[in-house]
Structure formats: C-alpha cells, structure tokens
C-alpha cells in the first residue's frame, strides 16, 4: 500500500507519530515545498487593509488574490476582457465556494472563543464584532489559518484548481479565436459577460461544464474533447441524405485536444399545432436512432426542446452500444 501511494516508511512513521519539536521541523521542511503552501504564502504576502464586518472577512485575502489573478488575465490577453457584471459574479462564486469549505471551521472557532469570553461584559453582537476585528483585520487572518492547517491546504488547493481551470478556458479562447469567429460569429475583442462554473467533480480538480457568454453569445465549455459529438453529427448528416423526411438538429461545436466549446441550446416552445406535430415526428426519429445505437443516460436534463427539434446536449454516452441487446445469442452462450 505504501509503495502504491509512493510513501516511504519514514514518511508514514512521521505522519502517525506524536508531534515533537524534531518532527515539526521535518513536517515543515516537507510542507513548505508543496505548491499549496507556496500559494498560501503568496496570498498573504500582499499587504491589504481589511475592516471585517462578517465572517466572509476570513476569506478576504483569498478572494482578492483570485480577483487579482482574473485581472492579470485581462492584462495578459488584451483581446479578452471581463465586463463588470461578470467580475461581480466571479467574485461572488469564488467567495461561496471557499466559504463552503471554511464555514464550519469558522463557526467552531467563534464558539470556542465565545466560551472563553467574558459573557457579562459583552452581548453576542458585541462579541462578534470584537471577534472579527481581532481575528481578521488586515493581515491578522494569516494567524487564524496557522491554527487550522487542513483548512489552509483545502482553500489553497481550491484556489489553485480554480485559477488553473480559468487559465485553461482563457487560453482556449485566445488560441482558437479564429475558429470561434468562424463557427459562432463572435469577433475579437472578446468580452465575457458570463462565466459560470457548474458543480465540479472534486476528483477532477473542479473541472466542470462552464457556461460562457462572450459578446452576449451564450456558449458551453467542457474540459474534454468531444469527438463523439463530431461523429454523431456526421452520422446525422449521412442519415439525412438517405431520408428526405429526416431533419435532425446538429449542435455547432469546436473540439480541441482537451476541450470542447458548444453552442448553448435554449429551450424554445412550438408556436402552432403543425410545429408540435413536427416535434414529435423528430422525437420519434431520435428515439429510433438512440435505440439503434444502444444509448444510455437519456434523461430530461440531457434533452432540450428547441422548437421543432429535440436536441441531445450531452452525447458522451450516446454510442455506448449494449452488446447484450444487440447480440443476445452470444451472451446466452456465455
């Protein structure tokens, strides 16, 4: 198990042994080389003035550091900018994500300090003001995080992931701006009106489908190439040529090596009875096609009604054919 985790016996002994002055020195010599610790030190290396009014003040330095990073991207990529609405939403989003990690520890710390406070001299409101000022004013917050190293690491790693993911998105927009202009009709300079990260997988370093709006054109960004969508569109084109009554909707997309940008499919109602009839005709075609392909994961969130077209917006599992259904004799023999 240790070799699988690339951990030596000495490192394991250090991790499980009681802390003393010698082991603390060893731990620090290891920790200060870690990327998360370097980010943590950078966050608090900048002198800032903070007048805390709520527990969110605990994350003031983290949020400001992240927003400085966002501002730096606009400086580095001068043809790509964030409008004020987008910046406000980004700041709110990162604050919420960090607070979800930190709030339980902060609440515990408040109660721990409250137990030792002079209850007769301060009411709860006065104590909270005093607590916020003592704990989080200016650069005092760094001392708070020294007391909670696990939280410190979690916040720093979250920051690293968020910054890395945003860097990947902006890099993609910059290096593929000609293709974006050609496919989606969006011309430089790009102004991001919306950048909304969906709930990410913690095992994938927070990489999740992201809703973008560039020059007021909504798009969907995915942190993976989508060759299946390309092949699916080619299949639809082939079938369309074979059957004059088959008119599927093909999602416009740009697929790179490790990313995909797709048009944002918005729900659009049918306007008359003929449109409704056409929709269900197309739905029947889609149902037959997906059954033939042995598709799965075709739930309501993956199917958008766009006028007369039922559109699949997540086709990664579209071509996962079920051999047991297609070749039942072979499975029976086994």
């Amino acid at each position: 198990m240790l070799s699988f985790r690339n951990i030596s016996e000495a490192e394991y002994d250090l991790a499980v042994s009681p802390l003393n002055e010698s082991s603390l020195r060893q731990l620090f010599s290891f920790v200060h080389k870690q990327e998360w610790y370097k980010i943590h030190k950078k966050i608090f290396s900048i002198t800032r003035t903070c007048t805390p009014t709520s527990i969110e003040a605990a994350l003031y330095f983290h949020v400001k550091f992240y927003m400085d990073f966002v501002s730096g991207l606009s400086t580095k990529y001068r043809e790509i900018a964030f409008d004020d609405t987008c910046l406000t939403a980004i700041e709110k989003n990162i604050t919420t994500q960090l607070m979800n990690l930190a709030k339980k520890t902060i609440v515990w710390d408040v109660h721990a300090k409250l137990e030792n406070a002079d209850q007769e001299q301060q009411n709860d409101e006065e104590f909270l003001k005093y607590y916020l000022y003592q704990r989080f004013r200016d650069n005092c917050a760094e001392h708070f995080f020294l007391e909670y190293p696990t939280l410190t690491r979690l916040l720093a790693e979250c920051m690293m992931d968020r910054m890395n993911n945003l860097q990947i998105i902006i890099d993609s927009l910059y290096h593929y701006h000609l293709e974006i202009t050609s496919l989606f009709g969006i011309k430089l300079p790009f102004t991001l009106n919306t950048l909304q990260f969906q709930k990410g997988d913690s095992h994938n370093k927070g990489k999740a489908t992201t809703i973008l709006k560039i020059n007021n054109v909504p798009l969907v960004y995915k942190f993976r190439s989508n060759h299946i969508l390309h092949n699916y569109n080619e299949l639809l084109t082939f079938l369309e040529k074979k059957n004059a009554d088959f008119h599927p909707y093909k999602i416009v997309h740009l697929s790179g090596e490790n990313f995909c940008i797709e048009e944002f499919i918005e729900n659009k109602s049918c306007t008359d009875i003929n449109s409704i009839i056409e929709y269900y005709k197309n739905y029947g075609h889609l149902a037959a096609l997906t059954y033939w392909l042995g598709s799965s994961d075709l739930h309501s969130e993956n199917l958008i009604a766009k006028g007369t077209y039922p559109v699949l917006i997540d086709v990664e599992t579209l071509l996962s054919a079920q051999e047991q259904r297609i070749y039942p004799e072979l499975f029976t023999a086994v």
Side-chain angles (χ1 to χ4, degrees):
M1 179 61 74
L2 293 180
S3 59
F4 177 77
R5 296 284 185 179
N6 198 26
I7 299 174
S8 67
E9 290 187 12
E11 290 172 332
Y12 179 79
D13 288 341
L14 179 62
V16 299
S17 300
L19 288 177
N20 53 42
E21 187 173 345
S22 175
S23 60
L24 282 173
R25 288 199 191 96
Q26 288 181 276
L27 281 173
F28 182 74
S29 67
F30 171 79
V31 167
H32 89 280
K33 298 176 184 177
Q34 303 301 301
E35 289 302 316
W36 69 263
Y37 184 77
K38 294 176 183 178
I39 286 292
H40 169 72
K41 295 303 291 183
K42 286 182 180 179
I43 290 171
F44 287 97
S45 66
I46 304 171
T47 302
R48 302 182 193 271
T49 300
C50 175
T51 304
T53 58
S54 70
I55 60 172
E56 290 182 350
L59 305 173
Y60 177 82
F61 281 79
H62 294 79
V63 173
K64 290 301 180 185
F65 186 84
Y66 183 78
M67 295 309 296
D68 287 347
F69 172 78
V70 174
S71 177
L73 291 177
S74 294
T75 302
K76 180 179 179 181
Y77 304 97
R78 297 191 177 276
E79 297 292 332
I80 301 176
F82 303 83
D83 69 13
D84 291 341
T85 301
C86 185
L87 288 173
T88 299
I90 289 173
E91 183 170 352
K92 182 179 179 180
N93 185 274
I94 189 64
T95 301
T96 299
Q97 187 170 6
L98 295 176
M99 183 55 67
N100 286 339
L101 293 172
K103 60 185 176 183
K104 290 183 179 179
T105 302
I106 297 173
V107 170
W108 187 92
D109 189 72
V110 171
H111 285 283
K113 295 295 185 289
L114 183 60
E115 288 180 356
N116 298 322
D118 189 340
Q119 298 278 337
E120 296 181 358
Q121 294 184 7
Q122 291 180 317
N123 59 37
D124 289 348
E125 184 176 352
E126 290 174 340
F127 170 77
L128 183 60
K129 289 181 180 179
Y130 174 79
Y131 169 84
L132 292 174
Y133 180 78
Q134 292 296 323
R135 276 308 224 178
F136 304 124
R137 75 181 189 277
D138 301 335
N139 282 57
C140 289
E142 185 174 11
H143 300 292
F144 168 84
F145 289 106
L146 287 175
E147 297 179 30
Y148 300 101
T150 300
L151 174 62
T152 301
R153 178 180 60 81
L154 288 173
L155 293 174
E157 288 179 345
C158 179
M159 293 277 288
M160 290 166 59
D161 292 342
R162 285 296 300 266
M163 290 189 294
N164 181 59
N165 293 342
L166 183 55
Q167 179 78 60
I168 291 172
I169 291 175
I170 301 303
D171 278 345
S172 302
L173 299 180
Y174 177 77
H175 291 294
Y176 288 84
H177 67 271
L178 293 177
E179 291 84 349
I180 292 172
T181 298
S182 175
L183 289 169
F184 305 107
I186 308 173
K187 298 181 180 179
L188 286 176
F190 293 161
T191 298
L192 276 81
N193 317 109
T194 299
L195 195 150
Q196 181 181 349
F197 289 96
Q198 304 298 300
K199 187 175 181 180
D201 182 358
S202 60
H203 299 291
N204 197 29
K205 297 190 176 295
K207 290 180 172 59
T209 299
T210 304
I211 306 302
L212 305 176
K213 186 177 284 186
I214 305 174
N215 296 0
N216 293 310
V217 177
L219 300 171
V220 178
Y221 186 98
K222 298 179 179 179
F223 288 90
R224 59 185 181 275
S225 61
N226 201 345
H227 300 302
I228 292 179
L229 177 57
H230 173 76
N231 295 335
Y232 176 61
N233 281 354
E234 287 196 337
L235 175 61
L236 295 180
T237 300
F238 172 79
L239 295 175
E240 192 173 15
K241 292 177 181 178
K242 294 293 183 179
N243 188 340
D245 292 330
F246 184 57
H247 303 293
Y249 189 92
K250 286 166 276 190
I251 296 177
V252 179
H253 68 286
L254 166 64
S255 189
E257 183 178 352
N258 296 307
F259 76 93
C260 181
I261 301 174
E262 303 172 12
E263 64 172 309
F264 183 83
I265 303 298
E266 298 186 73
N267 186 280
K268 183 179 179 182
S269 300
C270 293
T271 56
D272 53 53
I273 188 64
N274 290 331
S275 297
I276 295 174
I277 293 172
E278 184 67 18
Y279 174 84
Y280 279 103
K281 179 182 176 181
N282 290 329
Y283 190 91
H285 289 153
L286 181 62
L289 175 60
T290 53
Y291 178 80
W292 174 62
L293 293 172
S295 306
S296 62
D297 202 30
L298 301 179
H299 51 78
S300 59
E301 293 182 359
N302 282 349
L303 186 68
I304 303 295
K306 183 179 176 64
T308 61
Y309 298 103
V311 184
L312 290 173
I313 60 170
D314 194 358
V315 299
E316 278 78 356
T317 60
L318 190 66
L319 302 179
S320 58
Q322 300 175 21
E323 292 85 353
Q324 186 170 0
R325 177 175 60 77
I326 298 174
Y327 309 111
E329 304 85 358
L330 297 179
F331 276 82
T332 301
V334 172

